[in-house]
């Protein structure tokens, strides 16, 4: 074979595959400065999933958000996870706030399968969907979240629509039990996390007055997200909190208070009986069989500081004894 001919044949570059993992300047700019549909929650043109426990406030929050963004986008809220009695109220909310409510299971002869079929048809069109936002409630009504192949076909359609500018919001459920750190776990296969742009958990905390505090916990993001907190009143009115509340930490603390309650009560009794020195309080708790020195001392220290301050701690002039007095 001619040497000149062999030299003219280019050898394949074994590193060519690395190019598809390299961000362009445009992609970097979009991540650094995204166009927000709703700040710190929804980026235009992305596919995002928001898992939450059942009755965790996801429908209430996103129906409210649908109304907040309806002036700038054409918003379709597809709800296949709603009871018949709630559909009238949500339809009124949609009419009042300017978004379109689709209830596939409420229409004779139709279901979420028909919605998915129409999405596939939309994906086949050469159309710009950048002014459209779709909210799907919930993902498990669209496909089997535990069957990889069926879910893969849906995610491919959604990715195609987002490439044409559509913003897609998927509401999903978490498992019944949280992980060891108290963080919810998505109900489904791990493929979803790799197929979406964002996975942001909604962490609810139910309050004694019937209200709910719901905070976001970004798990996977393609942008700079700050966590948010929403307040849902007992009559289901939604507002964005001024400051973020770490509800996981708050729930851990509440659980700790429940566990400490017998010791807290004994300490209150000791202080009421003028036993204010730490040694006296510890001795009292021991005498009634509530707790030993280590546990009582920990509880005394824990609730002499925020967020739950039950007593003030100070040093006495005499013998530098540590004393505790109930907060007024």
């Amino acid at each position: 074979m001619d040497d000149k001919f062999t030299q003219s044949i280019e050898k394949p570059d074994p590193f060519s595959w690395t190019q598809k993992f390299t961000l362009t300047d445009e992609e970097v700019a979009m991540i650094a400065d995204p166009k927000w549909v709703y700040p710190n929650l929804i980026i235009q043109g992305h596919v995002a999933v928001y898992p939450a426990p059942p009755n965790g406030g996801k429908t209430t929050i996103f129906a409210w958000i649908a109304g907040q963004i309806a002036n700038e986008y054409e918003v379709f809220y597809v709800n296949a996870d709603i009871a018949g009695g709630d559909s009238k109220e949500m339809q009124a909310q949609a009419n009042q706030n300017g978004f379109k409510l689709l209830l596939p299971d409420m229409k004779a002869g139709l279901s979420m399968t028909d919605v998915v079929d129409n999405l596939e048809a939309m994906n086949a069109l050469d159309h710009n969907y950048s002014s459209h936002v779709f909210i799907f409630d919930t993902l498990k009504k669209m496909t089997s979240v535990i069957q990889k192949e069926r879910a893969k076909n849906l995610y491919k359609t959604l990715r195609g629509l987002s490439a044409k500018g559509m913003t897609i919001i998927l509401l999903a459920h978490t498992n019944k039990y949280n992980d060891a750190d108290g963080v919810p776990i998505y109900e489904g296969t791990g493929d979803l996390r790799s197929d979406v742009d964002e996975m942001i958990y909604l962490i609810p905390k139910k309050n004694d007055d019937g209200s709910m505090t719901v905070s976001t916990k970004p798990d996977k993001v393609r942008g700079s997200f700050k966590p948010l907190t929403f307040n849902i009143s007992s009559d289901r009115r939604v507002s964005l909190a001024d400051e973020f509340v770490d509800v996981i930490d708050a729930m851990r603390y509440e659980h700790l208070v429940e566990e400490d309650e017998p010791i807290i009560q004994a300490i209150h009794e000791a202080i009421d009986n003028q036993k204010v020195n730490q040694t006296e309080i510890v001795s009292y708790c021991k005498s009634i069989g509530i707790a030993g020195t280590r546990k009582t001392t920990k509880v005394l220290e824990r609730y002499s500081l925020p967020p739950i301050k039950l007593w003030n701690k100070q040093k006495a002039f005499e013998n530098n004894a540590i004393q505790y007095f109930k907060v007024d």
Side-chain angles (χ1 to χ4, degrees):
M1 184 177 291
D2 193 329
D3 288 341
K4 290 183 179 180
F5 178 76
T6 57
Q7 289 175 4
S8 66
I9 299 175
E10 293 187 6
K11 292 183 179 180
D13 180 2
F15 298 98
S16 61
W17 63 269
T18 62
Q19 296 177 9
K20 65 183 179 182
F21 292 93
T22 304
L23 294 179
T24 65
D25 291 341
E26 183 181 11
E27 288 172 327
V28 171
M30 289 177 66
I31 292 174
D33 189 20
K35 183 172 182 181
W36 294 104
V37 174
Y38 191 91
N40 293 305
L41 193 67
I42 308 166
I43 293 178
Q44 183 178 313
H46 281 200
V47 180
V49 62
Y50 303 86
N55 302 312
K58 58 185 177 296
T59 298
T60 303
I61 289 172
F62 275 93
W64 178 77
I65 288 174
Q68 297 291 301
I69 64 177
N71 286 335
E72 293 187 46
Y73 297 90
E74 189 169 6
V75 183
F76 297 87
Y77 195 117
V78 185
N79 196 331
D81 196 31
I82 189 171
D86 294 330
S87 59
K88 184 176 180 180
E89 180 182 342
M90 193 169 186
Q91 183 66 63
Q93 184 180 7
N95 292 341
Q96 181 178 352
N97 295 313
F99 64 91
K100 296 179 181 178
L101 179 64
L102 280 62
L103 300 171
D105 289 343
M106 300 290 175
K107 298 290 287 187
L110 296 177
S111 69
M112 189 63 106
T113 301
D114 298 291
V115 172
V116 174
D117 289 344
N118 280 281
L119 292 174
E120 292 175 352
M122 290 175 68
N123 188 36
L125 300 176
D126 183 16
H127 192 82
N128 186 334
Y129 299 112
S130 58
S131 62
H132 297 80
V133 176
F134 270 81
I135 303 172
F136 297 101
D137 191 355
T138 60
L139 175 59
K140 71 177 182 180
K141 297 290 186 176
M142 302 177 75
T143 186
S144 172
V145 294
I146 60 173
Q147 292 184 12
K148 290 187 177 183
E149 197 57 39
R150 288 181 61 185
K152 184 178 180 180
N153 291 333
L154 173 65
Y155 302 152
K156 183 178 179 181
T157 297
L158 299 181
R159 296 282 349 155
L161 290 167
S162 73
K164 295 177 173 70
M166 184 183 291
T167 303
I168 298 169
I169 296 164
L170 306 170
L171 305 187
H173 287 143
T174 57
N175 289 329
K176 183 177 180 181
Y177 299 106
N178 298 336
D179 67 14
D181 295 321
V183 179
I185 304 169
Y186 165 67
E187 180 187 62
T189 67
D191 288 21
L192 175 63
R193 191 177 185 278
S194 61
D195 283 320
V196 298
D197 295 297
E198 279 84 41
M199 177 178 280
I200 300 176
Y201 284 90
L202 302 178
I203 316 293
K205 176 180 174 294
K206 295 181 180 180
N207 305 313
D208 292 338
D209 62 357
S211 66
M212 190 182 298
T213 305
V214 182
S215 292
T216 64
K217 183 176 177 58
D219 178 71
K220 175 198 174 182
V221 293
R222 291 181 61 237
S224 180
F225 285 75
K226 294 179 181 178
L228 302 174
T229 296
F230 296 93
N231 294 316
I232 303 176
S233 65
S234 57
D235 58 354
R236 299 169 72 179
R237 287 179 297 169
V238 179
S239 61
L240 177 65
D242 294 332
E243 295 183 357
F244 169 71
V245 177
D246 188 335
V247 294
I248 293 177
D249 192 55
M251 288 189 289
R252 285 195 196 115
Y253 207 89
E254 282 189 358
H255 181 68
L256 196 59
V257 172
E258 289 179 9
E259 289 184 340
D260 292 338
E261 184 57 35
I263 305 175
I264 292 171
Q265 185 61 37
I267 292 170
H268 280 316
E269 291 174 4
I271 296 174
D272 289 341
N273 290 320
Q274 306 304 311
K275 301 179 189 298
V276 296
N277 287 351
Q278 181 171 299
T279 54
E280 294 175 328
I281 295 171
V282 168
S283 179
Y284 178 80
C285 289
K286 280 184 178 180
S287 69
I288 62 175
I290 289 296
T293 301
R294 182 179 295 179
K295 271 195 172 183
T296 304
T297 304
K298 279 187 176 181
V299 172
L300 280 168
E301 185 67 29
R302 183 175 294 140
Y303 301 105
S304 65
L305 302 167
I308 301 178
K309 189 172 182 179
L310 300 179
W311 36 71
N312 292 312
K313 176 184 177 181
Q314 66 181 44
K315 278 192 175 181
F317 290 110
E318 187 177 348
N319 299 324
N320 284 327
I322 299 175
Q323 297 180 327
Y324 292 90
F325 298 91
K326 292 167 75 172
V327 173
D328 295 331

